[in-house]
Amino acid sequence: MPAYAFAHLRDRKPHPEVYTYLERIQATLTPHSGRFLAHGDTLEVREGEWPGSLVLLEFPGLAEARAWYDSDAYQEILPLRTRHIAGDVILFPGLPTDYDPTTRAEALKAAEARTPSQ
């Protein structure tokens, strides 16, 4: 099942180190079969606020996503970005193709029914 790395980047400041980071990041992804799915600041916010831009990476699985983030190659270039761009990064597993949100609703209702009310 695929896994994803998602970054919400804010307060971007142009800097030569950021350009170097961008030039080198693909070489850190390739050994872990990672690829960009989204990268940029062209967003259409429909609810709430979204200051900044987003990056979405896909990996074959969570193990590959973790291995990429923790790799020496990525850790070497990471400060090139973090010194100039604030952000949050999360790794998470994808869903199976047969995912049904009604099943999730049923599980949440069942858990709530088992929890004594206060």
Side-chain angles (χ1 to χ4, degrees):
M1 190 164 18
Y4 303 93
F6 175 82
H8 177 201
L9 305 177
R10 301 173 305 282
D11 303 322
R12 295 175 298 153
K13 297 169 186 67
H15 192 279
E17 286 188 340
V18 174
Y19 308 139
T20 300
Y21 171 88
L22 291 170
E23 292 165 352
R24 294 177 57 190
I25 189 170
Q26 187 59 52
T28 71
L29 292 166
T30 300
H32 306 283
S33 301
R35 69 185 187 107
F36 280 87
L37 292 182
H39 190 199
D41 54 4
T42 305
L43 306 171
E44 186 174 319
V45 179
R46 292 295 183 107
E47 294 182 30
E49 297 179 21
W50 191 272
S53 63
L54 67 86
V55 177
L56 181 61
L57 306 173
E58 181 182 51
F59 296 88
L62 200 50
E64 291 86 353
R66 288 178 180 137
W68 161 73
Y69 191 88
D70 295 337
S71 71
D72 291 341
Y74 186 64
Q75 290 299 307
E76 179 182 321
I77 68 167
L78 182 57
L80 301 176
R81 177 183 57 80
T82 59
R83 282 194 287 259
H84 309 286
I85 301 174
D88 305 299
V89 176
I90 58 172
L91 305 178
F92 59 97
L95 296 170
T97 56
D98 64 347
Y99 175 76
D100 181 355
T102 58
T103 303
R104 173 84 170 140
E106 290 167 5
L108 291 170
K109 289 191 283 186
E112 185 178 350
R114 289 191 303 271
T115 304
S117 60
Q118 296 180 2

